[in-house]
PDB file of all heavy atoms in Angstrom:
ATOM      1  N   LEU A  68     115.440  78.320  95.501  1.00 86.00           N
ATOM      2  CA  LEU A  68     114.011  78.159  95.788  1.00 86.00           C
ATOM      3  C   LEU A  68     113.178  79.209  95.067  1.00 86.00           C
ATOM      4  O   LEU A  68     112.120  78.893  94.460  1.00 86.00           O
ATOM      5  CB  LEU A  68     113.776  78.272  97.290  1.00 86.00           C
ATOM      6  CG  LEU A  68     112.335  77.953  97.746  1.00 86.00           C
ATOM      7  CD1 LEU A  68     111.988  76.507  97.572  1.00 86.00           C
ATOM      8  CD2 LEU A  68     112.182  78.396  99.208  1.00 86.00           C
ATOM      9  N   PHE A  69     113.611  80.450  95.064  1.00 89.00           N
ATOM     10  CA  PHE A  69     112.834  81.592  94.483  1.00 89.00           C
ATOM     11  C   PHE A  69     113.238  81.894  93.017  1.00 89.00           C
ATOM     12  O   PHE A  69     112.528  82.692  92.415  1.00 89.00           O
ATOM     13  CB  PHE A  69     113.017  82.809  95.373  1.00 89.00           C
ATOM     14  CG  PHE A  69     112.172  82.718  96.629  1.00 89.00           C
ATOM     15  CD1 PHE A  69     112.769  82.326  97.823  1.00 89.00           C
ATOM     16  CD2 PHE A  69     110.856  83.082  96.647  1.00 89.00           C
ATOM     17  CE1 PHE A  69     112.021  82.259  98.971  1.00 89.00           C
ATOM     18  CE2 PHE A  69     110.138  83.043  97.792  1.00 89.00           C
ATOM     19  CZ  PHE A  69     110.686  82.619  98.957  1.00 89.00           C
ATOM     20  N   ALA A  70     114.287  81.264  92.532  1.00 88.00           N
ATOM     21  CA  ALA A  70     114.688  81.605  91.181  1.00 88.00           C
ATOM     22  C   ALA A  70     113.557  81.430  90.130  1.00 88.00           C
ATOM     23  O   ALA A  70     113.336  82.297  89.251  1.00 88.00           O
ATOM     24  CB  ALA A  70     115.901  80.829  90.744  1.00 88.00           C
ATOM     25  N   PRO A  71     112.801  80.306  90.212  1.00 88.00           N
ATOM     26  CA  PRO A  71     111.709  80.170  89.265  1.00 88.00           C
ATOM     27  C   PRO A  71     110.625  81.310  89.320  1.00 88.00           C
ATOM     28  O   PRO A  71     110.136  81.743  88.252  1.00 88.00           O
ATOM     29  CB  PRO A  71     111.059  78.836  89.634  1.00 88.00           C
ATOM     30  CG  PRO A  71     112.116  78.072  90.344  1.00 88.00           C
ATOM     31  CD  PRO A  71     112.891  79.114  91.075  1.00 88.00           C
ATOM     32  N   ILE A  72     110.340  81.823  90.495  1.00 89.00           N
ATOM     33  CA  ILE A  72     109.386  82.884  90.593  1.00 89.00           C
ATOM     34  C   ILE A  72     109.969  84.157  89.942  1.00 89.00           C
ATOM     35  O   ILE A  72     109.302  84.815  89.201  1.00 89.00           O
ATOM     36  CB  ILE A  72     109.064  83.162  92.079  1.00 89.00           C
ATOM     37  CG1 ILE A  72     108.437  81.888  92.730  1.00 89.00           C
ATOM     38  CG2 ILE A  72     108.121  84.323  92.225  1.00 89.00           C
ATOM     39  CD1 ILE A  72     108.094  82.004  94.199  1.00 89.00           C
ATOM     40  N   ILE A  73     111.248  84.456  90.280  1.00 88.00           N
ATOM     41  CA  ILE A  73     111.848  85.675  89.697  1.00 88.00           C
ATOM     42  C   ILE A  73     111.938  85.595  88.211  1.00 88.00           C
ATOM     43  O   ILE A  73     111.626  86.513  87.462  1.00 88.00           O
ATOM     44  CB  ILE A  73     113.278  85.853  90.377  1.00 88.00           C
ATOM     45  CG1 ILE A  73     113.144  86.001  91.887  1.00 88.00           C
ATOM     46  CG2 ILE A  73     113.960  87.097  89.809  1.00 88.00           C
ATOM     47  CD1 ILE A  73     114.454  85.869  92.612  1.00 88.00           C
ATOM     48  N   ILE A  74     112.328  84.412  87.708  1.00 87.00           N
ATOM     49  CA  ILE A  74     112.483  84.269  86.281  1.00 87.00           C
ATOM     50  C   ILE A  74     111.124  84.326  85.592  1.00 87.00           C
ATOM     51  O   ILE A  74     110.958  84.910  84.526  1.00 87.00           O
ATOM     52  CB  ILE A  74     113.132  82.881  85.964  1.00 87.00           C
ATOM     53  CG1 ILE A  74     114.609  82.889  86.454  1.00 87.00           C
ATOM     54  CG2 ILE A  74     113.133  82.592  84.482  1.00 87.00           C
ATOM     55  CD1 ILE A  74     115.248  81.531  86.398  1.00 87.00           C
ATOM     56  N   SER A  75     110.072  83.737  86.217  1.00 86.00           N
ATOM     57  CA  SER A  75     108.743  83.829  85.593  1.00 86.00           C
ATOM     58  C   SER A  75     108.252  85.268  85.542  1.00 86.00           C
ATOM     59  O   SER A  75     107.575  85.650  84.589  1.00 86.00           O
ATOM     60  CB  SER A  75     107.757  82.950  86.406  1.00 86.00           C
ATOM     61  OG  SER A  75     107.537  83.493  87.705  1.00 86.00           O
ATOM     62  N   CYS A  76     108.553  86.087  86.592  1.00 86.00           N
ATOM     63  CA  CYS A  76     108.184  87.485  86.549  1.00 86.00           C
ATOM     64  C   CYS A  76     108.854  88.250  85.417  1.00 86.00           C
ATOM     65  O   CYS A  76     108.219  88.959  84.634  1.00 86.00           O
ATOM     66  CB  CYS A  76     108.537  88.177  87.855  1.00 86.00           C
ATOM     67  SG  CYS A  76     107.495  87.663  89.216  1.00 86.00           S
ATOM     68  N   SER A  77     110.163  87.995  85.273  1.00 81.00           N
ATOM     69  CA  SER A  77     110.917  88.661  84.150  1.00 81.00           C
ATOM     70  C   SER A  77     110.345  88.181  82.799  1.00 81.00           C
ATOM     71  O   SER A  77     110.250  88.991  81.867  1.00 81.00           O
ATOM     72  CB  SER A  77     112.402  88.317  84.289  1.00 81.00           C
ATOM     73  OG  SER A  77     112.924  88.765  85.512  1.00 81.00           O
ATOM     74  N   THR A  78     110.044  86.904  82.661  1.00 81.00           N
ATOM     75  CA  THR A  78     109.558  86.333  81.436  1.00 81.00           C
ATOM     76  C   THR A  78     108.177  86.989  81.088  1.00 81.00           C
ATOM     77  O   THR A  78     107.938  87.344  79.907  1.00 81.00           O
ATOM     78  CB  THR A  78     109.423  84.845  81.487  1.00 81.00           C
ATOM     79  OG1 THR A  78     110.693  84.240  81.892  1.00 81.00           O
ATOM     80  CG2 THR A  78     108.981  84.265  80.157  1.00 81.00           C
ATOM     81  N   MET A  79     107.311  87.081  82.040  1.00 82.00           N
ATOM     82  CA  MET A  79     106.008  87.719  81.792  1.00 82.00           C
ATOM     83  C   MET A  79     106.139  89.186  81.424  1.00 82.00           C
ATOM     84  O   MET A  79     105.400  89.635  80.474  1.00 82.00           O
ATOM     85  CB  MET A  79     105.125  87.539  83.018  1.00 82.00           C
ATOM     86  CG  MET A  79     104.696  86.112  83.296  1.00 82.00           C
ATOM     87  SD  MET A  79     103.556  86.012  84.662  1.00 82.00           S
ATOM     88  CE  MET A  79     102.125  86.839  84.006  1.00 82.00           C
ATOM     89  N   VAL A  80     107.024  89.882  82.025  1.00 76.00           N
ATOM     90  CA  VAL A  80     107.226  91.321  81.682  1.00 76.00           C
ATOM     91  C   VAL A  80     107.752  91.434  80.268  1.00 76.00           C
ATOM     92  O   VAL A  80     107.331  92.244  79.513  1.00 76.00           O
ATOM     93  CB  VAL A  80     108.162  91.962  82.694  1.00 76.00           C
ATOM     94  CG1 VAL A  80     108.549  93.383  82.189  1.00 76.00           C
ATOM     95  CG2 VAL A  80     107.510  92.077  84.042  1.00 76.00           C
ATOM     96  N   ASP A  81     108.747  90.588  79.934  1.00 75.00           N
ATOM     97  CA  ASP A  81     109.317  90.655  78.579  1.00 75.00           C
ATOM     98  C   ASP A  81     108.343  90.245  77.531  1.00 75.00           C
ATOM     99  O   ASP A  81     108.272  90.891  76.428  1.00 75.00           O
ATOM    100  CB  ASP A  81     110.590  89.728  78.508  1.00 75.00           C
ATOM    101  CG  ASP A  81     111.701  90.245  79.340  1.00 75.00           C
ATOM    102  OD1 ASP A  81     111.728  91.433  79.698  1.00 75.00           O
ATOM    103  OD2 ASP A  81     112.586  89.437  79.685  1.00 75.00           O
ATOM    104  N   ARG A  82     107.508  89.188  77.733  1.00 79.00           N
ATOM    105  CA  ARG A  82     106.644  88.705  76.670  1.00 79.00           C
ATOM    106  C   ARG A  82     105.257  89.310  76.712  1.00 79.00           C
ATOM    107  O   ARG A  82     104.611  89.375  75.642  1.00 79.00           O
ATOM    108  CB  ARG A  82     106.581  87.145  76.760  1.00 79.00           C
ATOM    109  CG  ARG A  82     107.909  86.484  76.606  1.00 79.00           C
ATOM    110  CD  ARG A  82     107.722  84.986  76.567  1.00 79.00           C
ATOM    111  NE  ARG A  82     109.041  84.321  76.401  1.00 79.00           N
ATOM    112  CZ  ARG A  82     109.223  82.984  76.290  1.00 79.00           C
ATOM    113  NH1 ARG A  82     108.144  82.220  76.240  1.00 79.00           N
ATOM    114  NH2 ARG A  82     110.415  82.470  76.145  1.00 79.00           N
ATOM    115  N   LEU A  83     104.761  89.598  77.870  1.00 77.00           N
ATOM    116  CA  LEU A  83     103.386  90.115  77.941  1.00 77.00           C
ATOM    117  C   LEU A  83     103.292  91.569  78.392  1.00 77.00           C
ATOM    118  O   LEU A  83     102.226  92.166  78.305  1.00 77.00           O
ATOM    119  CB  LEU A  83     102.594  89.240  78.997  1.00 77.00           C
ATOM    120  CG  LEU A  83     102.571  87.743  78.717  1.00 77.00           C
ATOM    121  CD1 LEU A  83     101.839  87.017  79.854  1.00 77.00           C
ATOM    122  CD2 LEU A  83     101.943  87.427  77.378  1.00 77.00           C
ATOM    123  N   GLY A  84     104.421  92.133  78.829  1.00 73.00           N
ATOM    124  CA  GLY A  84     104.416  93.478  79.298  1.00 73.00           C
ATOM    125  C   GLY A  84     103.648  93.701  80.584  1.00 73.00           C
ATOM    126  O   GLY A  84     103.230  94.806  80.952  1.00 73.00           O
TER     127      GLY A  84
END
Side-chain angles (χ1 to χ4, degrees):
L68 186 69
F69 283 95
I72 300 178
I73 301 168
I74 294 171
S75 67
C76 288
S77 301
T78 304
M79 290 185 67
V80 171
D81 292 341
R82 299 188 181 184
L83 305 177

